[in-house]
Amino acid sequence: MNIGFKFLRLFLLCVLSPAFSFAIKFPPNFPSSLIRPEKLSLLSSTTQNKLYTESYFAQTLDHFNFYPKSYQTFQQRYLVNDTFWGGAANKSPIFVYTGNEGDIEWFTQNTGFLFEIAPHFKALLVFLEHRFYGKSVPFGGNKDVAYNNTNTLGYLSSTQALADYATLLVDLKKNLSAADSPVVVFGGSYGGTYLENWLSTAYIYTSMTDYPTPSNFLNPLPAYPVKQMCKAIDNPTTGNDTFAKLYGAANVYYNYSGTAKCFNLSDDSDPHGLSGWGWQACTEMILPTGGNTKESIFPASEWHYSDRVSYCKLMYGIEPRRTWITTEFGGFGIERVLKRFGSNIIFFNGLRDPWSGGGVLKNISRSIIAIVAKEGAHHVDLRFSTKEDPEWLKEVRKQEINIIGGWISQYYHDLAHLSP
Ligand SMILES: *[C@@H]1O[C@H](CO)[C@@H](O)[C@H](O)[C@H]1NC(C)=O
Ligand SMILES: *[C@@H]1O[C@H](CO)[C@@H](O)[C@H](O)[C@H]1NC(C)=O
Ligand SMILES: *[C@@H]1O[C@H](CO)[C@@H](O)[C@H](O)[C@H]1NC(C)=O
Ligand SMILES: *[C@@H]1O[C@H](CO)[C@@H](O)[C@H](O)[C@H]1NC(C)=O
Ligand SMILES: *[C@@H]1O[C@H](CO)[C@@H](O)[C@H](O)[C@H]1NC(C)=O
Ligand SMILES: *[C@@H]1O[C@H](CO)[C@@H](O)[C@H](O)[C@H]1NC(C)=O
Ligand SMILES: *[C@@H]1O[C@H](CO)[C@@H](O)[C@H](O)[C@H]1NC(C)=O
């Protein structure tokens, strides 16, 4: 399913602009209700130290019909860093991060890689915010109105968001007189889980972010936090007290700083503005997730579509379109499908990330490349590099840069030799 977005994105960009694109796969994202309030300070600390300028674009509310109401516009936010750009005259590339289901400023935190490689490629960096999230909220920017009911939420869909991205990029390239600049797209997959449990949140997010160096994406964590959790579980002072062991492990995730006085298990604040995901999960994004092995520390859980239907009826008074997303994007049998009409995509997966189970782990064609890192975690390749990075991670990044470089050269070659 994630793949489908790449298809369309690729397709839109290829059709609408003389550019190619590729994407590095982001595994699915986080359910809003599980993000901890500590993140508030994290968010404000990054906004103080801005690495981009913020702009707004008058975006069309509904790209897919011609009713008068469709022509309403809203302000879509995008962030630009032009410090490294070689300029339109040199046809220097544009690196685009397509926003996920949350505040775009928050996502820029985990995309240090783009800032690091921009000088090498003389690239313009552009971060596009997804409609209904962050500051890109239709209906006057008022979330209460935009999220009120299906009359307004109906405009929150992946196809609308992709059309937003394509429309904005075409206009931006026009404004920059950069029609010939190649566009390289990063990130941007969707997803979610529906775990409600405070403990499993800690275990799952820690394994997702089992990075080789200390990190601060979801929560502040030490290097290789899973190892720290295991240590906490093995701590002899907890004897045979299973709960004390589990609590110790959860403390690694919730209280690495050691400053937490107590934990609020019913806290449902949403500092990153991820709340629109519930709607998306009830319309298009039907991602079956579950765990049912006896060996796992999680209770066995089975996924039932009927549970989702009941939830969605209750919450929004709607029933999901269960197979729409694969009908629209052709996500079924990706190996066969991708090979036929996709190109220039890198799928990175770290096998320590539980989401890698749903990832593309095999090379599909010469330019649809799977990079699989046994010790890798959730999009670790996109993070800022550090001195402590292990060799395998340096290699992954080097390989990605080489592949991107090769594609850009190919693009310039085609531009010079193929007439439009
Ligand atoms: C772009 O990012 C670099 C850091 O990589 C920063 O030094 C520079 O000030 C940023 N430029 C803008 C225009 O924000
Ligand atoms: C939400 O919708 C209801 C029913 O249409 C309407 O009465 C109410 O004013 C709306 N609230 C907002 C904040 O738009
Ligand atoms: C392009 O320029 C026009 C005219 O100044 C402006 O209205 C529009 O927002 C710009 N497009 C983008 C993507 O910034
Ligand atoms: C833990 O349980 C095992 C088996 O039930 C027992 O032999 C051992 O003495 C217990 N250890 C402690 C520290 O209570
Ligand atoms: C957080 O960690 C500190 C230091 O280990 C500990 O004293 C404190 O009790 C922990 N907080 C909670 C809520 O467990
Ligand atoms: C816990 O979170 C809930 C929901 O956000 C809030 O209403 C409640 O006041 C919080 N409790 C404490 C002790 O902070
Ligand atoms: C895919 O091909 C690349 C070389 O282009 C190779 O480095 C990589 O290991 C391959 N991926 C897998 C999963 O075999």
Side-chain angles (χ1 to χ4, degrees):
M1 189 180 313
N2 295 323
I3 313 319
F5 299 111
K6 281 10 159 291
F7 283 174
L8 186 76
R9 181 178 302 141
L10 213 65
F11 177 71
L12 284 171
L13 290 172
C14 292
V15 169
L16 297 173
S17 64
F20 71 81
S21 73
F22 87 95
I24 289 180
K25 184 197 167 219
F26 255 39
N29 249 299
F30 327 106
S32 56
S33 59
L34 297 173
I35 301 292
R36 315 314 308 173
E38 300 87 282
K39 233 55 71 11
L40 273 171
S41 55
L42 220 171
L43 189 63
S44 50
S45 69
T46 52
T47 50
Q48 278 158 19
N49 194 7
K50 284 203 166 118
L51 297 174
Y52 37 74
T53 49
E54 187 179 86
S55 299
Y56 287 85
F57 175 63
Q59 187 58 265
T60 303
L61 181 63
D62 185 349
H63 298 280
F64 299 107
N65 69 63
F66 296 89
Y67 292 124
K69 212 181 154 190
S70 307
Y71 295 94
Q72 280 181 36
T73 58
F74 67 95
Q75 294 298 308
Q76 181 178 15
R77 179 167 59 156
Y78 66 99
L79 314 174
V80 173
N81 182 310
D82 62 1
T83 299
F84 311 109
W85 197 35
N90 294 321
K91 305 179 173 54
S92 292
I94 302 174
F95 287 2
V96 175
Y97 180 86
T98 48
N100 309 42
E101 68 282 18
D103 190 305
I104 189 66
E105 290 191 83
W106 183 54
F107 287 105
T108 62
Q109 283 184 95
N110 229 23
T111 54
F113 184 58
L114 269 69
F115 286 90
E116 288 175 354
I117 64 176
H120 174 78
F121 289 104
K122 299 191 170 29
L124 178 73
L125 296 178
V126 181
F127 299 84
L128 306 177
E129 190 160 70
H130 192 297
R131 60 165 58 197
F132 281 79
Y133 294 100
K135 293 187 179 161
S136 301
V137 178
F139 304 100
N142 186 334
K143 269 200 158 180
D144 291 336
V145 177
Y147 281 70
N148 190 22
N149 58 39
T150 53
N151 286 326
T152 47
L153 272 171
Y155 296 99
L156 169 52
S157 75
S158 61
T159 38
Q160 297 281 8
L162 286 168
D164 290 344
Y165 294 150
T167 305
L168 192 154
L169 283 176
V170 168
D171 200 60
L172 183 66
K173 289 185 84 175
K174 191 182 82 193
N175 283 4
L176 296 170
S177 308
D180 284 343
S181 285
V183 172
V184 182
V185 178
F186 292 79
S189 282
Y190 280 127
T193 66
Y194 303 96
L195 297 158
E196 283 146 29
N197 184 295
W198 184 78
L199 286 172
S200 48
T201 300
Y203 307 142
I204 286 171
Y205 286 173
T206 302
S207 53
M208 264 169 67
T209 55
D210 193 28
Y211 298 133
T213 53
S215 67
N216 201 350
F217 184 46
L218 289 155
N219 266 358
L221 284 174
Y224 289 122
V226 170
K227 225 181 258 168
Q228 300 304 319
M229 279 197 160
C230 293
K231 253 193 215 160
I233 290 169
D234 292 339
N235 184 345
T237 65
T238 50
N240 282 350
D241 184 346
T242 305
F243 183 76
K245 287 178 179 301
L246 293 177
Y247 187 81
N251 239 287
V252 173
Y253 179 75
Y254 290 115
N255 186 22
Y256 174 50
S257 63
T259 54
K261 295 265 177 309
C262 59
F263 301 116
N264 186 349
L265 270 57
S266 60
D267 178 54
D268 57 357
S269 62
D270 179 22
H272 306 302
L274 307 173
S275 60
W277 186 250
W279 169 262
Q280 294 198 257
C282 277
T283 48
E284 303 175 312
M285 304 298 163
I286 312 302
L287 301 182
T289 56
N292 49 22
T293 66
K294 293 252 157 53
E295 303 90 71
S296 160
I297 62 169
F298 301 111
S301 78
E302 275 178 53
W303 192 84
H304 295 292
Y305 178 63
S306 55
D307 295 345
R308 179 69 60 87
V309 173
S310 319
Y311 170 82
C312 297
K313 280 190 175 149
L314 181 74
M315 288 298 290
Y316 302 105
I318 54 164
E319 199 167 316
R321 290 185 193 159
R322 187 176 187 173
T323 58
W324 167 246
I325 204 77
T326 47
T327 307
E328 166 79 4
F329 296 115
F332 193 73
I334 48 170
E335 259 183 81
R336 275 170 291 142
V337 178
L338 255 181
K339 192 153 68 189
R340 298 277 176 262
F341 75 98
S343 72
N344 302 85
I345 307 175
I346 298 173
F347 292 101
F348 171 81
N349 271 285
L351 295 185
R352 291 197 177 177
D353 179 1
W355 291 109
S356 62
V360 176
L361 304 175
K362 271 199 275 187
N363 283 332
I364 306 246
S365 70
R366 268 195 57 210
S367 75
I368 302 181
I369 297 162
I371 299 182
V372 178
K374 210 165 76 245
E375 295 123 311
H378 201 67
H379 56 76
V380 61
D381 56 327
L382 280 183
R383 297 172 54 75
F384 270 115
S385 57
T386 71
K387 279 206 214 66
E388 292 81 41
D389 283 343
E391 275 313 306
W392 62 261
L393 182 53
K394 289 183 194 157
E395 278 307 312
V396 164
R397 293 199 174 113
K398 218 182 286 167
Q399 191 180 1
E400 287 173 354
I401 291 167
N402 285 338
I403 295 168
I404 297 167
W407 289 345
I408 290 178
S409 303
Q410 181 68 53
Y411 168 82
Y412 288 136
H413 180 272
D414 290 354
L415 197 63
H417 296 95
L418 303 175
S419 47

